[in-house]
Amino acid sequence: MSDPLVIIYTDGAASPNPGRGGYGAVILREGTRRELSGGFRHTTNNRMELLSVIVALQQLPEPRATVTVFSDSKYVVDNLNGGYAARWRRNHWRTTATKQPAKNADLWQTLLELAERHQVTFTWVKSHADNPENNRCDELAVLARQARDLPGDAGFEELRSAPLPPALPSPPAPLTSPHPPPPAPLPPPPQQMELFGFMS
């Protein structure tokens, strides 16, 4: 007997971005329906998109559920389906192209671990369209960020408070003289010179 299919819709919102944020999720399974939401006083839209998927997957008790996640976030869907998030993890949370720190590594780490426990398919849906469940998730996220006494997003606050890398020292000022020495004679040209171009 095959495992029952779990359908999950998710959405996240922050206004302004960064600002007050919220997430919403709808879990559909074997004729049952469950809605989840939460908010934070200062976060980003992408963090709420990630967290909406994380919270929904955390509700699944069995280790190998068959899940389809619908999200309107290309940031979430493309980085998972394209394997980018997994490569960031292998690179110790550095981006492949620029080697810069990957954003939201704390949430990506959790999401990858949860996704690996199940058989998850991530599907993109257009936001604010004719999908009633996606629209409901948006409503849940907006209501959540409008709530009073929202907690802080510890991961985002930690990123904001991290010290900036030290600035490079300024180059010394060139020395000047009222009577500069004559320029040294140029060396003779070499017999052969090869020029190599480097693309940045």
Side-chain angles (χ1 to χ4, degrees):
M1 180 177 180
S2 61
D3 294 331
L5 177 63
V6 182
I7 304 295
I8 295 176
Y9 290 86
T10 66
D11 196 19
S15 182
N17 187 26
R20 295 173 66 88
Y23 65 85
V26 174
I27 304 175
L28 305 175
R29 177 179 181 177
E30 296 184 300
T32 65
R33 175 190 182 88
R34 185 177 181 187
E35 296 185 347
L36 306 167
S37 64
F40 296 87
R41 63 173 175 263
H42 199 68
T43 187
T44 68
N45 182 77
N46 282 340
R47 287 185 67 81
M48 294 298 95
E49 294 282 7
L50 288 166
L51 194 58
S52 64
V53 183
I54 289 172
V55 171
L57 290 177
Q58 286 175 334
Q59 311 308 308
L60 305 181
E62 66 274 16
R64 296 297 294 174
T66 303
V67 187
T68 299
V69 175
F70 293 94
S71 169
D72 62 14
S73 171
K74 287 186 173 293
Y75 174 70
V76 172
V77 175
D78 290 353
N79 283 321
L80 286 168
N81 288 343
Y84 300 105
R87 285 198 288 272
W88 299 339
R89 181 173 61 180
R90 290 196 298 270
N91 292 337
H92 305 288
W93 298 109
R94 295 278 176 173
T95 59
T96 306
T98 64
K99 306 303 181 184
Q100 295 299 311
K103 294 182 179 179
N104 306 313
D106 58 327
L107 297 181
W108 280 116
Q109 174 72 38
T110 303
L111 179 51
L112 286 172
E113 292 175 355
L114 286 168
E116 289 165 353
R117 297 178 191 173
H118 306 285
Q119 298 177 0
V120 187
T121 301
F122 293 92
T123 303
W124 180 80
V125 294
K126 186 177 180 180
S127 61
H128 307 292
D130 56 356
N131 189 309
E133 299 297 355
N134 177 256
N135 291 337
R136 177 55 181 163
C137 290
D138 178 69
E139 293 174 355
L140 291 170
V142 171
L143 289 173
R145 70 174 175 80
Q146 293 174 343
R148 296 181 178 180
D149 301 323
L150 293 176
D153 179 351
F156 180 65
E157 296 296 336
E158 182 177 345
L159 291 174
R160 293 179 65 212
S161 61
L164 296 175
L168 296 176
S170 301
L175 299 176
T176 59
S177 171
H179 302 288
L186 296 175
Q191 295 297 323
Q192 184 177 359
M193 179 180 292
E194 296 184 16
L195 302 179
F196 296 91
F198 294 87
M199 296 182 64
S200 59

